[in-house]
Amino acid sequence: MGLSYIFLYIWANSSSSVVYVVYKDVGASGFVDLYWIISAGNDGMKFEYIAKDDKGKATLASGECVELTFEDLKKDVPNAVIRGAVQMKTKIWLLGPIEKHYSGRDVYGILVPSTARLYMNDGAISKDEFIEVCKLELQY
């Protein structure tokens, strides 16, 4: 699954401003478009993973999103490993939980905006090991 393109859209209403960042999965089957949508507003950051086709859209997962550095994550989860080029000061967005692993534990995602890559801890080895699942690119 390869995610592609970030589209930034600012929407304001009378009580707050919400910033949306949308990542499109260009590696999807071709029958459906998949999107990761990150929103930030007065009530914090949230994520939504949606599938969209010519008949409509469906939410596949949604939940909390937290912006921190990899160093901050390591303070809370000392055994955390991201299998990729991520430095301690790299800004990350922690998404989740996204789903349940077959073992029953929660699966989280780490989206790295600077490299446009998505990692998940859904492997069999460790709940603290994040493996790259998608490469992202800016959407217009």
Side-chain angles (χ1 to χ4, degrees):
M1 155 168 60
L3 293 181
S4 183
Y5 299 112
I6 301 170
F7 169 73
L8 180 62
Y9 172 71
I10 299 175
W11 171 73
N13 65 26
S14 59
S15 61
S16 68
S17 292
V18 179
V19 176
Y20 294 93
V21 180
V22 179
Y23 297 87
K24 182 179 180 190
D25 181 348
V26 295
S29 70
F31 298 107
V32 65
D33 292 324
L34 300 173
Y35 298 91
W36 289 92
I37 302 170
I38 310 298
S39 62
N42 292 340
D43 61 346
M45 292 179 72
K46 308 263 188 235
F47 83 90
E48 188 175 18
Y49 184 46
I50 65 167
K52 184 177 178 185
D53 64 13
D54 56 353
K55 295 179 175 106
K57 73 175 190 171
T59 300
L60 304 175
S62 63
E64 298 297 317
C65 177
V66 178
E67 182 177 277
L68 62 161
T69 64
F70 182 51
E71 181 177 41
D72 295 333
L73 178 65
K74 292 283 282 181
K75 288 176 186 172
D76 291 336
V77 184
N79 294 331
V81 174
I82 299 175
R83 297 287 177 213
V86 177
Q87 305 299 315
M88 294 300 277
K89 298 291 184 188
T90 301
K91 180 174 71 172
I92 62 174
W93 292 339
L94 181 64
L95 312 173
I98 297 171
E99 62 186 14
K100 287 284 186 190
H101 188 265
Y102 65 85
S103 67
R105 66 176 163 82
D106 289 333
V107 173
Y108 287 85
I110 292 178
L111 198 157
V112 182
S114 64
T115 61
R117 296 182 186 273
L118 179 68
Y119 303 83
M120 287 188 179
N121 68 333
D122 62 351
I125 296 174
S126 167
K127 67 179 177 63
D128 298 332
E129 181 181 31
F130 290 82
I131 308 295
E132 183 179 334
V133 294
C134 303
K135 170 73 175 108
L136 309 169
E137 296 173 356
L138 280 175
Q139 176 156 337
Y140 51 124

